[in-house]
């Protein structure tokens, strides 16, 4: 499903720490388990503009690939959003595809090369042809497309393990105990294994990160859900996970790396882990899940650990069209 910008006010950090260290600013006496190479990943994300309308799955790879050692693929910077969308098989909606095609014609008429076109039309220029549709339900980036981007842009050095939140027949697989076990594993062993979770979730199950009520005081209150409304964005979304922590009250939290700066603290968004789980399970008839990106040498141990938790390695469908001529399998 495509993701549309949800405008909202920016918000100041409760300390002089940068937004990517929001967990420390909000919970100063709590151990924070950041993912491997977090400072570099956070800096890469902070340098990027907001996502284009349909690219959130591909965008999640933009700030990972360079810090993980893959700044260029086929001579193209892996921060090129349009290139990663091409690798992912992203599907544009007709209303975006029309201006993109018009821009391509203007670029041809002006005789611009790719670099000049990207500089002159930073949002409208797509250097590669993407599919398009008039049906918003199948537009956007599929989880298999995100996995394809990670695999191809790293020439296979990085792989993904998809963990679906529901079984194929619809029953919930990512129960609270299994979710806790998975987060325990990511927090304890993720830095050693180089695990980088990307979550594909229903936005309306999480706290609304663009409302004025989403504040440091409310997030650290005994019951944040009583003070901050749930989101009303109405989309499926992709976000990276930068950190996991559990304050003294026992409630577990995740730091989501959003694709829009206005969501959370400059795009870094603390969310209760249980609400993220509900967003992964989804209640809108679509599927969600966690895509674990990692070095190839970490796959066997990670897959065995997930299986021991009772989780299944299965690519889910969020409704967006899968990439053509590519199917995920273990080791990709």
């Amino acid at each position: 499903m495509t993701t549309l910008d949800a405008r909202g006010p920016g918000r100041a950090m409760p300390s002089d720490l940068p937004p990517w260290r929001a967990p420390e600013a909000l919970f100063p006496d709590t151990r924070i388990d950041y993912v491997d190479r977090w400072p570099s990943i956070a800096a890469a994300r902070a340098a990027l503009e907001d996502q284009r309308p349909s690219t959130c799955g591909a965008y999640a790879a933009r700030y990972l690939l360079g810090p993980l050692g893959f700044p260029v693929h086929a001579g193209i910077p892996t921060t090129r959003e349009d290139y990663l969308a091409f690798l992912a098989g992203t599907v544009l909606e007709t209303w975006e595809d029309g201006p993109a095609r018009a821009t391509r014609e203007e670029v041809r008429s002006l005789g611009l090369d790719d670099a000049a076109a990207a500089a002159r039309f930073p949002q409208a220029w797509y250097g590669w042809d993407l599919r398009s549709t008039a049906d918003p339900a199948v537009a956007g980036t599929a989880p298999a497309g995100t996995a394809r981007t990670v695999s191809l842009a790293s020439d296979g050095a990085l792989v993904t393990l998809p963990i679906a939140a529901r079984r194929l027949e619809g029953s919930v697989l990512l129960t609270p105990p299994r979710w806790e076990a998975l987060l325990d594993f990511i927090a304890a062993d993720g830095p050693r294994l180089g695990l980088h979770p990307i979550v594909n979730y229903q936005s309306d199950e999480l706290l609304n990160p663009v409302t004025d009520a989403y504040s440091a005081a409310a997030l650290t209150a005994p019951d944040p859900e009583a003070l901050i409304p749930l989101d009303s964005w109405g989309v499926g979304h992709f976000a990276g996970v930068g950190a996991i922590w559990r304050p003294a009250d026992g409630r577990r939290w995740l730091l989501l790396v959003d694709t829009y700066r206005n969501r959370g603290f400059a795009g870094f968004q603390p969310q209760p882990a249980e609400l993220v789980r509900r967003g992964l399970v989804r209640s809108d008839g679509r599927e969600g899940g966690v895509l674990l990106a990692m070095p190839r040498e970490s796959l066997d141990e990670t897959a065995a650990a997930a299986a021991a938790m009772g989780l299944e390695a299965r690519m889910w469908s969020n409704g967006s069209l899968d990439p053509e001529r590519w199917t995920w399998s273990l080791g990709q």
Side-chain angles (χ1 to χ4, degrees), residues 221-278:
D223 187 4
E225 294 168 54
L227 301 175
I228 306 171
L230 296 183
D231 207 343
S232 57
W233 194 11
V235 303
H237 195 39
F238 284 91
V241 175
I244 301 172
W245 68 100
R246 192 195 299 274
D249 65 4
R251 179 193 295 265
R252 198 164 214 164
W253 291 77
L254 302 182
L255 181 65
L256 301 188
V257 188
D258 211 293
T259 59
Y260 292 107
R261 291 178 181 274
N262 62 291
R263 295 177 66 78
F265 298 96
F268 299 96
Q269 183 188 146
Q271 287 283 350
E274 172 56 19
L275 295 190
V276 176
R277 186 195 70 82
R278 295 176 195 175

Side-chain angles (χ1 to χ4, degrees), residues 98-118:
R101 291 184 180 278
T103 298
R104 189 173 292 118
E105 288 303 314
E106 185 173 357
V107 165
R108 290 194 185 111
S109 69
L110 293 172
L112 302 179
D113 62 14
D114 175 72

